[in-house]
């Protein structure tokens, strides 16, 4: 049974489709709309994930949606108004602040329902920044990607709790399924990353773009502390693009050299086959220095049966159960992270496997992409029903 009304056309607006959780969610929801017989458009600058959108039956509307230049944002609004009218768009869904302004203006001009997803916890140190962030709350409903994010939105913007719906990000259980990953895929990645076939050390994967707040530097420092104790039981694999942050990458390379960790830490670059990467690893870590609004890289490895060490703040407190599916370590504390890595080593292969099985069962139950898409489509249906009857979304709740 279809959740959506007949002849439903969704327009999502996001800066780009390069890599990341918000981008993956955009693709997942587009796929869900198409599967229900609707049309799915994405207005964006484009990127490497655009091919996946189109393969799933979605359509790309290319424009400089990533720009924060006010004149370009006005131009984008005009482009979106034209697109909404031409394609008879039913609902507009914004996924980032800068393009949300253009999307909101276009939605208002065309009287089209508008929702936005708060994909991150945006901190505001001034009234101007709070005004900028608040664009995400100006639609019919706000979607938050975790309970942590939902609480932040309500507290920060003072909006009615019933106007903020928490929908955790989803993981594609058919893609992240150990049984569907061939030994050849894992072997190809092992060779590409230069991991020895007889590697006995604990292979620890940190997946995420190379940016300071993701905590690569902290992870290197924690491994250095282990090494200082004559402990060489860990091989750290840092998988992610620098996305032009050449200075930060050089800084990481310098840290590795200074600590003599060239044999213990590998910068392996962008990875297109994350399911194989998680199977290659024994353990995944998510040492973000700032709270994650959801933290897909703490959930995906659990779906693949790998335990996780995550920073003890933000939404990872919801996704990792200490002692059951992994460990939580104090954010930014290299000593605590060295201890957590040591605990993971001490747990032994059997202990880590038991945790991985518990992690897999829990993550599959709570964080499937199907559950996320269904909840999102129900939000669309709720907004459409409220618009149709002239009632507000608070009256149409449930």
């Amino acid at each position: 049974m279809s959740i959506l009304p007949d002849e439903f056309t969704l327009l999502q607006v996001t800066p780009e489709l390069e890599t990341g959780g918000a981008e993956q969610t955009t693709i997942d929801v587009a796929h869900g709309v198409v599967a229900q017989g609707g049309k799915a458009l994405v207005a964006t600058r484009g990127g490497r994930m655009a091919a996946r959108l189109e393969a799933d039956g979605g359509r790309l509307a290319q424009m400089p949606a990533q720009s924060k230049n006010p004149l370009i944002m006005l131009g984008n609004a005009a482009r979106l108004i034209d697109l909404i009218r031409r394609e008879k768009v039913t609902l507009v869904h914004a996924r980032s602040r800068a393009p949300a302004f253009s999307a909101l203006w276009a939605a208002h001009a065309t009287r089209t329902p508008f929702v936005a997803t708060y994909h991150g916890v945006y901190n505001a140190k001034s009234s101007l920044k709070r005004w900028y962030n608040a664009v995400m709350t100006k639609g019919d409903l706000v979607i938050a990607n975790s309970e942590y994010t939902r609480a932040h939105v309500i507290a920060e913007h003072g909006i009615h709790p019933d106007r903020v719906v928490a929908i955790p990000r989803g993981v594609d259980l058919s893609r992240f399924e150990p049984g569907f990953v061939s030994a050849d895929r894992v072997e190809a990645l092992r060779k590409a990353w230069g991991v020895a076939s007889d590697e006995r050390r604990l292979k620890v994967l940190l997946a995420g773009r190379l940016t300071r707040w993701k905590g690569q530097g902290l992870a290197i420092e924690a491994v250095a502390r282990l090494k200082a104790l004559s402990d060489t039981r860990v091989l750290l694999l840092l998988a992610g693009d620098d996305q032009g942050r050449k200075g930060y990458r050089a800084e990481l390379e310098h840290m590795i050299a200074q600590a003599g960790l060239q044999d213990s830490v590998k910068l392996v670059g962008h990875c297109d086959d994350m399911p194989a990467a998680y199977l290659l690893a024994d353990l995944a870590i998510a040492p973000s220095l700032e709270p994650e609004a959801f933290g897909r890289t703490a959930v995906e490895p659990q779906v693949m049966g790998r335990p996780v060490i995550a920073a003890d703040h933000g939404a990872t407190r919801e996704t990792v159960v200490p002692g059951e599916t992994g460990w939580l370590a104090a954010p930014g504390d290299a000593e605590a992270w060295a201890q957590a890595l040591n605990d993971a080593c001490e747990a032994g292969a059997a202990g880590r496997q038991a945790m991985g099985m518990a992690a897999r069962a829990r993550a599959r139950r709570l964080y499937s992409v199907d559950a996320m898409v269904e909840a999102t489509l129900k939000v669309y249906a709720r907004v459409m029903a409220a618009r149709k009857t002239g009632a507000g979304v608070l009256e149409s709740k449930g």
Side-chain angles (χ1 to χ4, degrees):
M1 182 180 164
S2 179
I3 296 168
L4 299 173
D6 293 339
E7 298 183 359
F8 182 86
T9 299
L10 172 67
L11 170 60
Q12 297 181 89
V13 187
T14 193
E16 53 193 14
L17 289 174
E18 278 301 339
T19 182
E23 292 82 355
Q24 183 60 54
T25 304
T26 302
I27 303 284
D28 292 337
V29 169
H31 178 69
V33 168
V34 171
Q36 292 226 344
K39 288 199 298 182
L41 312 171
V42 178
T44 178
R45 183 185 70 81
R48 61 162 63 99
M49 297 173 83
R52 199 179 307 165
L53 168 74
E54 292 174 329
D56 284 348
R59 284 170 48 203
L60 193 69
Q62 208 152 8
M63 63 183 68
Q66 84 289 356
S67 178
K68 295 179 181 177
N69 180 309
L71 291 177
I72 293 175
M73 289 161 74
L74 279 170
N76 285 340
R79 294 180 190 98
L80 291 171
I81 289 169
D82 179 60
L83 184 65
I84 289 167
R85 288 177 174 154
R86 189 173 69 247
E87 298 289 343
K88 298 183 173 57
V89 168
T90 316
L91 183 141
V92 178
H93 187 164
R95 294 190 173 276
S96 184
R97 290 165 293 175
F101 281 95
S102 305
L104 180 63
W105 297 333
H108 279 178
T110 57
R111 297 183 179 176
T112 307
F114 176 86
V115 300
T117 293
Y118 235 91
H119 282 287
V121 173
Y122 315 122
N123 294 312
K125 292 186 175 140
S126 68
S127 55
L128 180 64
K129 194 66 185 285
R130 190 168 287 108
W131 169 83
Y132 179 74
N133 295 345
V135 68
M136 303 299 283
T137 69
K138 300 301 182 188
D140 298 67
L141 273 177
V142 185
I143 297 172
N145 64 354
S146 66
E147 290 293 345
Y148 168 73
T149 305
R150 179 176 180 270
H152 169 83
V153 172
I154 293 166
E156 179 76 1
H157 300 291
I159 66 177
H160 196 291
D162 284 350
R163 284 191 57 235
V164 190
V165 180
I167 303 177
R169 282 185 186 159
V171 175
D172 183 346
L173 300 185
S174 61
R175 181 171 177 241
F176 288 91
E177 167 53 57
F180 293 169
V181 180
S182 67
D184 288 346
R185 281 168 59 186
V186 179
E187 179 65 10
L189 209 52
R190 184 190 66 72
K191 286 180 176 173
W193 289 0
V195 178
S197 57
D198 59 350
E199 180 59 70
R200 302 298 297 272
R201 290 173 293 178
L202 186 72
K203 296 182 287 294
V204 178
L205 177 66
L206 195 174
R209 63 190 180 278
L210 299 187
T211 184
R212 194 175 305 279
W213 77 272
K214 286 290 185 183
Q216 289 92 355
L218 173 67
I220 292 168
E221 192 179 340
V223 173
R225 290 185 182 229
L226 282 181
K227 189 185 179 221
L229 300 170
S230 301
D231 193 323
T232 55
R233 291 181 293 170
V234 168
L235 173 63
L236 177 62
L237 303 166
L238 302 176
D241 269 345
D242 60 31
Q243 295 183 329
R245 299 179 188 89
K246 306 292 185 192
Y248 181 59
R249 184 188 178 92
E251 189 180 314
L252 295 178
E253 289 169 343
H254 180 70
M255 282 183 74
I256 292 165
Q258 283 285 96
L261 293 175
Q262 292 93 331
D263 187 48
S264 300
V265 182
K266 290 179 179 289
L267 286 159
V268 298
H270 175 74
C271 176
D272 278 319
D273 193 352
M274 289 310 302
Y278 292 128
L279 285 191
L280 175 63
D282 302 303
L283 172 79
I285 62 172
S288 303
L289 303 183
E290 298 169 20
E292 291 273 12
F294 176 70
R296 189 184 291 271
T297 55
V299 176
E300 287 177 351
Q302 293 185 74
V303 173
M304 294 296 293
R306 294 296 182 260
V308 172
I309 306 174
D312 188 10
H313 56 183
T316 45
R317 287 176 171 169
E318 300 168 35
T319 59
V320 178
V321 183
E324 183 181 323
T325 71
W327 298 263
L328 292 174
D333 184 338
E335 189 61 45
W337 277 84
Q339 183 60 54
L341 286 170
N342 186 66
D343 290 346
C345 290
E346 293 295 324
R352 290 190 299 271
Q353 184 178 19
M355 285 182 119
M357 288 174 66
R360 176 169 160 74
R362 181 177 185 271
R364 283 181 67 86
R365 187 176 75 252
L366 298 178
Y367 304 114
S368 77
V369 73
D370 288 345
M372 180 275 292
V373 169
E374 182 178 344
T376 303
L377 299 193
K378 282 181 175 175
V379 164
Y380 296 163
R382 179 179 158 196
V383 168
M384 298 305 301
R387 284 284 186 119
K388 194 172 182 181
T389 61
V393 288
L394 299 187
E395 289 85 348
S396 71
K397 187 174 182 242

